[in-house]
Amino acid sequence: VQEVIPIAYSPRVGLARNKFVAWAAACSATEQRPVVVPHEAREVFLREAPSSLLPAPQRVHARLDALGLRTLGRIARLPRSALLAQFGWVGERLHRLACGEDPEPLQPSLPPPQIRESMA
């Protein structure tokens, strides 16, 4: 990675079996030290990670903070139904991610279509 991406871009590498744990690992990595999270250690690794890593709207993050749910470990300790009741299906997904479960496949980012116009 360091050979391909210039150091000025501060590349951070996180490796894990699913994309959310890999994202959390990359967030805790440094430019010189990649973080590898074995599948068996994902719950321990995520326990102290901040809840701000979760992909949720700002209003959900503000509510999590108001409820004192500032780490993924605190969220994971709750019953999944509690987050479902508070936040709907978004809460259920956030609970799964906090527990290290990420069944959604990786979706490539596609560039927006280019529209060109010309006159002859």
Side-chain angles (χ1 to χ4, degrees), residues 22-97:
W23 165 255
C27 289
S28 67
T30 66
E31 295 90 359
Q32 303 300 318
R33 184 185 59 89
V35 174
V36 178
V37 181
H39 189 64
E40 307 78 41
R42 72 189 186 282
E43 291 173 7
V44 174
F45 173 76
L46 292 174
R47 189 175 298 148
E48 296 302 317
S51 60
S52 61
L53 293 176
L54 291 169
Q58 182 58 38
R59 63 178 176 74
V60 172
H61 282 291
R63 184 99 182 264
L64 289 172
D65 190 51
L67 293 170
L69 300 173
R70 294 180 184 95
T71 65
L72 297 181
R74 285 184 175 220
I75 294 171
R77 282 194 297 268
L78 293 173
R80 188 165 290 162
S81 60
L83 267 83
L84 181 63
Q86 284 290 317
F87 302 103
W89 292 111
V90 170
E92 195 265 346
R93 179 173 182 249
L94 297 180
H95 188 272
R96 286 186 187 279
L97 293 175

Coordinates of all heavy atoms in Angstrom, one line a residue, residues 22-97:
A22 N -13.2 -4.3 9.4 CA -12.0 -3.8 8.7 C -12.0 -2.3 8.7 O -10.9 -1.7 8.9 CB -12.0 -4.3 7.2
W23 N -13.2 -1.7 8.6 CA -13.2 -0.2 8.6 C -12.8 0.3 10.0 O -12.0 1.2 10.2 CB -14.7 0.3 8.3 CG -15.0 1.7 8.7 CD1 -15.7 2.1 9.8 CD2 -14.6 2.8 8.0 NE1 -15.8 3.4 9.8 CE2 -15.1 3.9 8.8 CE3 -13.8 3.1 6.9 CZ2 -14.8 5.2 8.4 CZ3 -13.6 4.4 6.5 CH2 -14.1 5.5 7.3
A24 N -13.3 -0.4 11.1 CA -13.0 0.0 12.4 C -11.5 -0.2 12.7 O -10.8 0.6 13.3 CB -13.8 -0.8 13.4
A25 N -10.9 -1.3 12.1 CA -9.5 -1.5 12.3 C -8.7 -0.5 11.5 O -7.7 0.0 12.1 CB -9.2 -2.9 11.7
A26 N -9.1 -0.1 10.4 CA -8.4 1.0 9.6 C -8.4 2.3 10.4 O -7.5 3.1 10.3 CB -9.0 1.1 8.2
C27 N -9.5 2.6 11.0 CA -9.7 3.8 11.8 C -8.7 3.8 13.0 O -8.3 4.9 13.4 CB -11.1 4.0 12.3 SG -12.2 4.4 10.9
S28 N -8.3 2.7 13.5 CA -7.4 2.6 14.6 C -6.0 2.4 14.2 O -5.1 2.4 15.0 CB -7.8 1.6 15.6 OG -7.7 0.3 15.1
A29 N -5.8 2.2 12.9 CA -4.4 2.0 12.4 C -3.7 3.3 12.2 O -4.3 4.4 12.3 CB -4.5 1.3 11.0
T30 N -2.4 3.2 12.0 CA -1.6 4.4 11.7 C -1.0 4.2 10.3 O -1.1 3.1 9.7 CB -0.4 4.6 12.7 OG1 0.5 3.5 12.6 CG2 -0.9 4.7 14.1
E31 N -0.3 5.2 9.8 CA 0.2 5.1 8.4 C 1.3 4.0 8.4 O 1.5 3.3 7.4 CB 0.9 6.4 8.0 CG -0.1 7.5 7.8 CD -0.3 8.3 9.0 OE1 0.3 8.0 10.1 OE2 -1.0 9.3 9.0
Q32 N 2.0 3.8 9.5 CA 3.1 2.8 9.5 C 2.6 1.4 10.1 O 3.4 0.5 10.0 CB 4.2 3.3 10.4 CG 4.8 4.7 9.9 CD 5.3 4.6 8.4 OE1 6.0 3.6 8.1 NE2 5.0 5.6 7.6
R33 N 1.5 1.4 10.7 CA 1.1 0.1 11.4 C -0.3 -0.3 11.0 O -1.3 0.3 11.5 CB 1.2 0.3 12.9 CG 0.9 -0.9 13.7 CD 0.8 -0.6 15.2 NE -0.2 0.4 15.6 CZ -1.4 0.1 15.9 NH1 -1.8 -1.1 15.9 NH2 -2.3 1.1 16.2
P34 N -0.5 -1.3 10.1 CA -1.8 -1.8 9.8 C -2.4 -2.6 11.0 O -1.6 -3.0 11.8 CB -1.6 -2.7 8.6 CG -0.2 -3.1 8.6 CD 0.6 -1.9 9.4
V35 N -3.7 -2.7 11.1 CA -4.3 -3.5 12.2 C -5.0 -4.6 11.5 O -5.8 -4.5 10.6 CB -5.3 -2.6 13.0 CG1 -6.1 -3.4 14.0 CG2 -4.5 -1.4 13.6
V36 N -4.7 -5.8 12.0 CA -5.4 -7.1 11.6 C -6.2 -7.6 12.7 O -5.7 -7.7 13.9 CB -4.3 -8.1 11.2 CG1 -5.0 -9.4 10.7 CG2 -3.4 -7.6 10.1
V37 N -7.5 -7.8 12.5 CA -8.4 -8.4 13.5 C -8.9 -9.8 13.1 O -9.6 -9.9 12.2 CB -9.6 -7.4 13.7 CG1 -10.6 -8.0 14.7 CG2 -9.2 -6.0 14.0
P38 N -8.3 -10.8 13.8 CA -8.8 -12.2 13.5 C -10.3 -12.3 13.8 O -10.8 -11.6 14.7 CB -8.0 -13.0 14.5 CG -6.9 -12.2 14.9 CD -7.3 -10.8 14.8
H39 N -11.0 -13.1 13.1 CA -12.5 -13.2 13.2 C -12.9 -13.6 14.7 O -13.9 -13.1 15.2 CB -13.0 -14.3 12.3 CG -14.5 -14.4 12.2 ND1 -15.2 -13.3 11.7 CD2 -15.4 -15.3 12.6 CE1 -16.5 -13.6 11.7 NE2 -16.6 -14.8 12.3
E40 N -12.1 -14.4 15.4 CA -12.4 -14.8 16.7 C -12.3 -13.6 17.7 O -12.8 -13.6 18.8 CB -11.5 -15.9 17.2 CG -11.4 -17.1 16.3 CD -10.5 -16.9 15.1 OE1 -9.4 -16.3 15.2 OE2 -10.9 -17.3 14.0
A41 N -11.5 -12.6 17.3 CA -11.2 -11.5 18.2 C -12.0 -10.2 17.9 O -11.8 -9.2 18.5 CB -9.7 -11.1 18.2
R42 N -13.0 -10.3 17.0 CA -13.7 -9.1 16.5 C -14.5 -8.5 17.7 O -14.5 -7.3 17.8 CB -14.6 -9.4 15.3 CG -15.8 -10.3 15.6 CD -16.5 -10.7 14.3 NE -17.7 -11.4 14.6 CZ -17.8 -12.6 15.0 NH1 -16.7 -13.4 15.2 NH2 -19.0 -13.2 15.2
E43 N -15.2 -9.3 18.5 CA -16.0 -8.7 19.6 C -15.1 -8.0 20.6 O -15.5 -6.9 21.1 CB -16.8 -9.8 20.2 CG -17.9 -10.3 19.3 CD -18.6 -11.5 19.9 OE1 -18.4 -11.9 21.0 OE2 -19.4 -12.1 19.1
V44 N -14.0 -8.6 20.9 CA -13.1 -7.9 21.9 C -12.5 -6.7 21.3 O -12.4 -5.6 22.0 CB -11.9 -8.9 22.3 CG1 -10.9 -8.2 23.1 CG2 -12.5 -10.1 23.0
F45 N -12.2 -6.7 20.0 CA -11.6 -5.5 19.3 C -12.7 -4.4 19.3 O -12.3 -3.2 19.6 CB -11.2 -5.8 17.9 CG -10.8 -4.6 17.1 CD1 -9.5 -4.0 17.3 CD2 -11.6 -4.1 16.2 CE1 -9.2 -2.9 16.6 CE2 -11.3 -3.0 15.5 CZ -10.0 -2.4 15.7
L46 N -13.9 -4.7 19.0 CA -15.0 -3.7 18.9 C -15.5 -3.1 20.2 O -16.1 -2.1 20.3 CB -16.1 -4.2 18.1 CG -15.9 -4.5 16.6 CD1 -17.1 -5.2 16.0 CD2 -15.5 -3.3 15.9
R47 N -15.2 -3.8 21.3 CA -15.7 -3.5 22.6 C -15.5 -2.0 23.0 O -16.4 -1.3 23.4 CB -15.2 -4.4 23.7 CG -15.8 -4.3 25.0 CD -15.3 -5.3 26.0 NE -15.6 -6.6 25.5 CZ -14.9 -7.7 25.7 NH1 -13.8 -7.6 26.4 NH2 -15.2 -8.9 25.3
E48 N -14.3 -1.5 22.8 CA -13.9 -0.1 23.2 C -14.0 0.9 22.0 O -13.7 2.0 22.2 CB -12.6 -0.1 23.8 CG -12.5 -0.9 25.1 CD -13.5 -0.4 26.2 OE1 -13.6 0.8 26.3 OE2 -14.1 -1.2 26.8
A49 N -14.3 0.4 20.8 CA -14.4 1.3 19.7 C -15.6 2.3 19.9 O -16.6 2.0 20.4 CB -14.6 0.5 18.4
P50 N -15.4 3.5 19.4 CA -16.4 4.5 19.6 C -17.6 4.3 18.7 O -17.5 3.8 17.6 CB -15.8 5.9 19.2 CG -14.6 5.4 18.3 CD -14.2 4.1 18.7
S51 N -18.8 4.6 19.2 CA -20.0 4.4 18.5 C -20.1 5.3 17.3 O -20.9 5.1 16.4 CB -21.3 4.6 19.4 OG -21.3 5.9 19.9
S52 N -19.3 6.3 17.2 CA -19.3 7.2 16.1 C -18.8 6.6 14.8 O -19.0 7.1 13.7 CB -18.4 8.4 16.4 OG -17.0 8.0 16.6
L53 N -18.3 5.4 14.9 CA -17.9 4.6 13.7 C -19.1 4.0 12.9 O -19.0 3.7 11.8 CB -16.9 3.4 14.1 CG -15.5 3.8 14.6 CD1 -14.8 2.6 15.0 CD2 -14.8 4.6 13.5
L54 N -20.2 3.9 13.6 CA -21.4 3.3 13.0 C -21.9 4.2 11.9 O -22.0 5.4 12.0 CB -22.5 3.1 14.1 CG -22.1 2.0 15.1 CD1 -23.1 2.1 16.2 CD2 -22.1 0.6 14.4
P55 N -22.3 3.6 10.8 CA -22.9 4.4 9.7 C -24.3 4.7 10.0 O -25.2 3.9 9.7 CB -22.7 3.4 8.5 CG -22.8 2.1 9.1 CD -22.2 2.2 10.4
A56 N -24.5 5.9 10.5 CA -25.9 6.3 10.9 C -26.0 7.8 10.7 O -25.0 8.5 10.8 CB -26.2 5.9 12.4
P57 N -27.2 8.3 10.6 CA -27.5 9.7 10.5 C -27.0 10.4 11.8 O -27.0 9.8 12.9 CB -29.0 9.9 10.3 CG -29.4 8.5 9.9 CD -28.5 7.5 10.4
Q58 N -26.8 11.7 11.7 CA -26.3 12.5 12.9 C -27.3 12.5 14.0 O -26.9 12.4 15.2 CB -26.0 13.9 12.5 CG -25.5 14.8 13.6 CD -24.2 14.3 14.2 OE1 -23.4 13.8 13.6 NE2 -24.1 14.4 15.5
R59 N -28.6 12.5 13.7 CA -29.6 12.4 14.8 C -29.5 11.1 15.6 O -29.8 11.1 16.8 CB -31.0 12.7 14.2 CG -31.4 11.6 13.2 CD -32.9 11.8 12.7 NE -33.2 10.8 11.7 CZ -33.5 9.5 12.0 NH1 -33.5 9.1 13.2 NH2 -33.8 8.7 11.0
V60 N -29.2 10.0 14.9 CA -29.1 8.8 15.6 C -27.8 8.8 16.5 O -27.9 8.3 17.7 CB -29.0 7.6 14.6 CG1 -28.6 6.3 15.3 CG2 -30.3 7.5 13.9
H61 N -26.7 9.4 16.0 CA -25.5 9.5 16.8 C -25.8 10.4 18.0 O -25.3 10.1 19.1 CB -24.4 10.0 16.0 CG -23.7 9.0 15.1 ND1 -23.0 7.9 15.6 CD2 -23.7 8.8 13.8 CE1 -22.6 7.2 14.6 NE2 -23.0 7.7 13.5
A62 N -26.5 11.4 17.9 CA -26.8 12.3 19.0 C -27.7 11.6 20.0 O -27.4 11.7 21.2 CB -27.6 13.6 18.5
R63 N -28.6 10.8 19.6 CA -29.4 10.0 20.5 C -28.6 8.9 21.2 O -28.8 8.7 22.4 CB -30.6 9.4 19.7 CG -31.6 8.7 20.5 CD -32.8 9.6 20.8 NE -33.7 8.9 21.6 CZ -34.8 8.2 21.2 NH1 -35.1 8.2 19.9 NH2 -35.6 7.6 22.0
L64 N -27.7 8.2 20.5 CA -26.9 7.2 21.1 C -26.0 7.9 22.2 O -25.9 7.4 23.3 CB -26.0 6.6 20.1 CG -26.6 5.6 19.1 CD1 -25.6 5.2 18.1 CD2 -27.2 4.4 19.9
D65 N -25.5 9.1 21.9 CA -24.7 9.8 22.9 C -25.5 10.2 24.1 O -25.1 10.1 25.3 CB -24.1 11.0 22.2 CG -23.0 11.7 23.1 OD1 -22.1 11.0 23.6 OD2 -23.1 12.9 23.3
A66 N -26.7 10.7 23.9 CA -27.6 11.1 25.0 C -28.0 9.9 25.9 O -28.2 10.0 27.1 CB -28.9 11.7 24.4
L67 N -28.0 8.7 25.3 CA -28.3 7.5 26.0 C -27.1 6.9 26.7 O -27.2 5.9 27.4 CB -29.0 6.4 25.1 CG -30.4 6.8 24.6 CD1 -30.8 5.8 23.5 CD2 -31.4 6.8 25.7
G68 N -25.9 7.5 26.5 CA -24.7 7.0 27.1 C -24.1 5.9 26.4 O -23.2 5.2 26.9
L69 N -24.5 5.6 25.1 CA -24.0 4.5 24.3 C -22.9 5.0 23.4 O -23.0 5.2 22.2 CB -25.1 3.9 23.5 CG -26.3 3.4 24.3 CD1 -27.5 2.9 23.4 CD2 -25.9 2.2 25.2
R70 N -21.7 5.3 24.0 CA -20.6 5.9 23.3 C -19.6 4.9 22.8 O -18.7 5.3 22.1 CB -19.9 6.9 24.3 CG -20.8 8.0 24.6 CD -20.2 9.1 25.5 NE -21.1 10.1 25.9 CZ -21.9 10.1 27.0 NH1 -21.7 9.1 27.8 NH2 -22.7 11.0 27.2
T71 N -19.8 3.6 23.2 CA -18.9 2.6 22.6 C -19.7 1.4 22.0 O -20.9 1.2 22.4 CB -18.0 2.0 23.7 OG1 -18.8 1.3 24.7 CG2 -17.1 3.0 24.4
L72 N -19.1 0.7 21.1 CA -19.8 -0.4 20.5 C -20.1 -1.5 21.4 O -21.0 -2.2 21.3 CB -18.9 -0.9 19.3 CG -18.7 0.1 18.1 CD1 -17.9 -0.5 17.0 CD2 -20.0 0.7 17.6
G73 N -19.2 -1.6 22.5 CA -19.4 -2.7 23.5 C -20.7 -2.4 24.3 O -21.4 -3.4 24.6
R74 N -21.0 -1.2 24.6 CA -22.2 -0.8 25.3 C -23.4 -1.1 24.5 O -24.5 -1.6 25.0 CB -22.2 0.6 25.7 CG -21.3 0.9 26.9 CD -21.4 2.3 27.3 NE -20.7 2.5 28.5 CZ -21.0 3.2 29.6 NH1 -22.2 3.9 29.5 NH2 -20.3 3.4 30.6
I75 N -23.3 -0.9 23.2 CA -24.4 -1.1 22.3 C -24.6 -2.7 22.1 O -25.8 -3.2 22.2 CB -24.2 -0.5 20.9 CG1 -24.2 1.0 21.1 CG2 -25.2 -1.0 19.9 CD1 -23.8 1.8 19.8
A76 N -23.5 -3.4 22.0 CA -23.6 -4.8 21.8 C -24.2 -5.5 23.0 O -24.8 -6.6 22.9 CB -22.2 -5.4 21.5
R77 N -24.0 -5.0 24.2 CA -24.5 -5.6 25.4 C -26.0 -5.5 25.6 O -26.7 -6.2 26.3 CB -23.9 -5.0 26.7 CG -22.5 -5.6 26.9 CD -22.0 -5.2 28.3 NE -21.8 -3.8 28.5 CZ -20.7 -3.1 28.3 NH1 -19.6 -3.7 27.8 NH2 -20.7 -1.8 28.6
L78 N -26.6 -4.6 24.9 CA -28.1 -4.4 24.9 C -28.8 -5.5 24.1 O -28.2 -6.0 23.1 CB -28.5 -3.0 24.3 CG -28.1 -1.8 25.1 CD1 -28.4 -0.6 24.3 CD2 -28.8 -1.7 26.4
P79 N -30.0 -5.8 24.4 CA -30.8 -6.7 23.6 C -31.0 -6.0 22.2 O -31.3 -4.8 22.2 CB -32.1 -6.9 24.3 CG -31.9 -6.3 25.7 CD -30.8 -5.4 25.6
R80 N -31.0 -6.8 21.2 CA -31.2 -6.3 19.9 C -32.6 -5.6 19.7 O -32.7 -4.6 19.1 CB -31.0 -7.4 18.8 CG -31.0 -6.9 17.4 CD -30.5 -7.9 16.4 NE -29.1 -8.0 16.6 CZ -28.3 -9.0 16.2 NH1 -28.9 -10.0 15.5 NH2 -27.1 -9.1 16.4
S81 N -33.5 -6.2 20.4 CA -34.9 -5.7 20.4 C -35.0 -4.2 21.0 O -35.8 -3.5 20.6 CB -35.8 -6.6 21.1 OG -35.4 -6.7 22.5
A82 N -34.1 -3.9 21.9 CA -34.1 -2.6 22.5 C -33.7 -1.5 21.5 O -34.3 -0.5 21.4 CB -33.1 -2.5 23.7
L83 N -32.7 -1.8 20.7 CA -32.3 -0.9 19.6 C -33.3 -0.8 18.5 O -33.6 0.2 17.9 CB -30.9 -1.2 19.1 CG -29.9 -0.4 19.8 CD1 -29.5 -1.0 21.1 CD2 -28.7 -0.1 18.9
L84 N -34.0 -2.0 18.2 CA -35.0 -2.0 17.2 C -36.2 -1.1 17.7 O -36.8 -0.4 16.9 CB -35.5 -3.4 17.0 CG -36.6 -3.7 16.0 CD1 -36.1 -3.2 14.6 CD2 -37.0 -5.1 16.0
A85 N -36.5 -1.2 19.0 CA -37.6 -0.4 19.5 C -37.3 1.1 19.5 O -38.2 1.9 19.2 CB -38.0 -0.8 20.9
Q86 N -36.1 1.5 19.7 CA -35.7 2.9 19.8 C -35.5 3.5 18.4 O -35.8 4.7 18.2 CB -34.4 3.1 20.6 CG -34.5 2.9 22.1 CD -35.3 4.1 22.6 OE1 -35.1 5.3 22.3 NE2 -36.2 3.9 23.5
F87 N -34.8 2.7 17.5 CA -34.4 3.3 16.2 C -35.0 2.6 15.0 O -34.6 3.0 13.9 CB -32.9 3.3 16.1 CG -32.2 4.0 17.2 CD1 -31.6 3.3 18.3 CD2 -32.1 5.4 17.2 CE1 -31.0 4.0 19.3 CE2 -31.4 6.1 18.2 CZ -30.9 5.4 19.3
G88 N -35.8 1.6 15.2 CA -36.4 0.9 14.0 C -35.3 0.0 13.4 O -34.4 -0.4 14.1
W89 N -35.4 -0.3 12.1 CA -34.5 -1.2 11.5 C -33.1 -0.7 11.4 O -32.1 -1.4 11.4 CB -35.0 -1.5 10.1 CG -36.3 -2.3 10.1 CD1 -37.5 -1.9 9.7 CD2 -36.4 -3.7 10.6 NE1 -38.4 -2.9 9.9 CE2 -37.8 -4.0 10.5 CE3 -35.6 -4.6 11.1 CZ2 -38.3 -5.2 10.9 CZ3 -36.1 -5.8 11.5 CH2 -37.4 -6.1 11.4
V90 N -32.9 0.6 11.5 CA -31.6 1.2 11.6 C -30.9 0.7 12.9 O -29.7 0.3 12.9 CB -31.6 2.8 11.5 CG1 -30.3 3.4 11.9 CG2 -32.1 3.2 10.2
G91 N -31.6 0.7 14.0 CA -31.1 0.3 15.3 C -30.7 -1.2 15.2 O -29.7 -1.6 15.8
E92 N -31.5 -2.0 14.6 CA -31.2 -3.4 14.4 C -29.9 -3.6 13.7 O -29.1 -4.4 14.1 CB -32.4 -4.1 13.7 CG -32.4 -5.6 13.9 CD -31.7 -6.3 12.7 OE1 -31.5 -5.7 11.7 OE2 -31.4 -7.5 12.8
R93 N -29.8 -2.9 12.6 CA -28.5 -3.0 11.8 C -27.3 -2.5 12.6 O -26.2 -3.1 12.6 CB -28.6 -2.1 10.5 CG -27.4 -2.2 9.7 CD -27.6 -1.5 8.4 NE -26.4 -1.6 7.6 CZ -25.6 -0.5 7.3 NH1 -25.9 0.7 7.7 NH2 -24.5 -0.7 6.6
L94 N -27.5 -1.4 13.4 CA -26.4 -0.9 14.2 C -26.0 -1.9 15.3 O -24.8 -2.0 15.6 CB -26.8 0.5 14.8 CG -27.1 1.6 13.8 CD1 -27.4 2.9 14.6 CD2 -25.9 1.8 12.9
H95 N -27.0 -2.6 15.8 CA -26.6 -3.6 16.8 C -25.8 -4.7 16.2 O -24.8 -5.2 16.8 CB -27.9 -4.1 17.5 CG -27.6 -5.0 18.6 ND1 -27.4 -6.4 18.5 CD2 -27.5 -4.7 20.0 CE1 -27.2 -6.9 19.7 NE2 -27.2 -5.9 20.6
R96 N -26.2 -5.2 15.0 CA -25.5 -6.2 14.4 C -24.0 -5.8 14.1 O -23.1 -6.5 14.3 CB -26.1 -6.6 13.0 CG -27.4 -7.4 13.2 CD -27.9 -7.8 11.8 NE -29.2 -8.5 11.9 CZ -29.4 -9.7 12.3 NH1 -28.4 -10.5 12.6 NH2 -30.6 -10.2 12.3
L97 N -23.9 -4.6 13.6 CA -22.5 -4.1 13.3 C -21.7 -4.0 14.6 O -20.5 -4.3 14.7 CB -22.6 -2.7 12.7 CG -23.1 -2.7 11.2 CD1 -23.2 -1.3 10.7 CD2 -22.3 -3.6 10.3

